[in-house]
Amino acid sequence: MNVKNLAKLITVALLLVPAFAFGASVEDATSNRVELIAAFNKLIIIVGFMIGLAVTIAGGYKMIQVGNQVAKFGWIAPAIYIMAGVVMMNVSPSLSVITNTYFNVDFCTMIDESQTVSSSCFKDEISGLTGPLKERISRLSSDSTAEKFMENIEIIVGIFQVIGFIYFLVGAYGLTQVANGSAQHGYGKPIITMVASALIVDIPHTATMFIDTLHKIGINF
C-alpha cells in the first residue's frame, strides 16, 4: 500500500467518525469523537515519522551512490529525499514554518495529545467567526445548545486538521517521487499540496483572512 492509498484510507475512516459514536449519549458521543481525533493525530505523527525516517535513510544511501559515482542521478535527488524525510519526521514544526509565513502565528492543535479540546487554540478566531451565530442560537434555543454548537465546531476543526496533516505528508512524499522520476508532474504539485494542506490545518486563520479580504473589496455577509 503506497502513501496516497494509506492517506485515502485514513481520510475515509476519519469522515466516518460521527458514525462511530452512534447510539451513545450526546456527552459520550462528543468525548468519543475527541478521543478518535486525538488517536488519529498520534497515528499520523508516528506513521509520518517512520516513513520520513525510511525516506531519509534512502536519501543517505543515494548520496553514497553519488559519492561512489555508481549512480546515474546527481546530488539533487538525495538532497530532496533527505529534506522530505526531515519534514515528514517533524510534521508540526514544518507546519509552523508555513503558518508563520502566512499568518505570523505558531501552529496549534485543536485536539491535543491529552485527548481534550485546547481552550486556547484558535479561541479568538473561532469566536470572531461563530460568535454572532452562537448568540443567535442561544437566544432562539438555549445556552446549552449554543455550547454544543461550539463543541461541534471544534470537532470539525479537529477533523480538518487531521485531513490537513495527512495531505501535508502526501505532498512531502510527492517530492521524492518527482526526485526519482516516478511522477508525471514537477515539484509544483507537491509543494502546492503542502501549502494548501497547511492552510487547511490552520483553517480558522485561513477563513478569517478570506472573510477579511471579502470585506476589503466590499462584500459583506
Side-chain angles (χ1 to χ4, degrees):
M1 180 180 293
N2 60 33
V3 173
K4 288 186 177 180
N5 288 337
L6 179 61
K8 291 177 181 178
L9 178 62
I10 296 176
T11 302
V12 170
L14 184 65
L15 293 175
L16 294 176
V17 163
F20 296 153
F22 179 77
S25 66
V26 175
E27 291 77 10
D28 289 341
T30 300
S31 177
N32 291 341
R33 290 165 185 163
V34 169
E35 290 177 4
L36 281 169
I37 293 170
F40 273 117
N41 278 333
K42 188 174 183 179
L43 175 64
I44 291 166
I45 290 174
I46 293 173
V47 172
F49 182 87
M50 293 174 64
I51 296 175
L53 180 60
V55 169
T56 303
I57 293 172
Y61 177 71
K62 287 179 178 291
M63 191 164 289
I64 292 173
Q65 288 182 307
V66 173
N68 293 335
Q69 298 182 345
V70 296
K72 296 180 180 180
F73 47 79
W75 291 99
I76 294 179
I80 293 294
Y81 263 73
I82 293 173
M83 181 191 72
V86 171
V87 167
M88 296 177 77
M89 287 190 292
N90 299 275
V91 177
S92 294
S94 300
L95 284 166
S96 288
V97 171
I98 298 179
T99 56
N100 267 293
T101 300
Y102 280 91
F103 304 116
N104 196 29
V105 293
D106 290 326
F107 160 77
C108 67
T109 305
M110 176 60 74
I111 298 174
D112 55 31
E113 294 180 356
S114 64
Q115 298 185 347
T116 58
V117 177
S118 173
S119 59
S120 59
C121 185
F122 301 130
K123 181 179 180 181
D124 294 337
E125 288 74 25
I126 290 180
S127 297
L129 291 171
T130 63
L133 184 57
K134 180 184 176 183
E135 292 178 1
R136 184 176 299 177
I137 293 173
S138 182
R139 288 196 305 268
L140 295 176
S141 182
S142 64
D143 291 339
S144 61
T145 302
E147 288 300 322
K148 292 302 177 186
F149 165 76
M150 291 303 299
E151 289 178 1
N152 288 332
I153 292 296
E154 291 165 347
I155 290 173
I156 290 171
V157 171
I159 291 174
F160 271 106
Q161 285 194 315
V162 174
I163 293 173
F165 287 149
I166 293 170
Y167 282 93
F168 185 81
L169 292 174
V170 170
Y173 187 77
L175 294 174
T176 66
Q177 293 180 307
V178 178
N180 66 23
S182 62
Q184 298 180 350
H185 50 74
Y187 289 106
K189 183 177 179 178
I191 291 174
I192 291 173
T193 300
M194 293 172 69
V195 173
S197 61
L199 296 179
I200 292 173
V201 168
D202 208 22
I203 191 167
H205 282 116
T206 304
T208 301
M209 181 181 69
F210 177 72
I211 291 173
D212 288 344
T213 302
L214 291 179
H215 288 169
K216 289 179 181 178
I217 62 176
I219 300 176
N220 296 298
F221 298 99

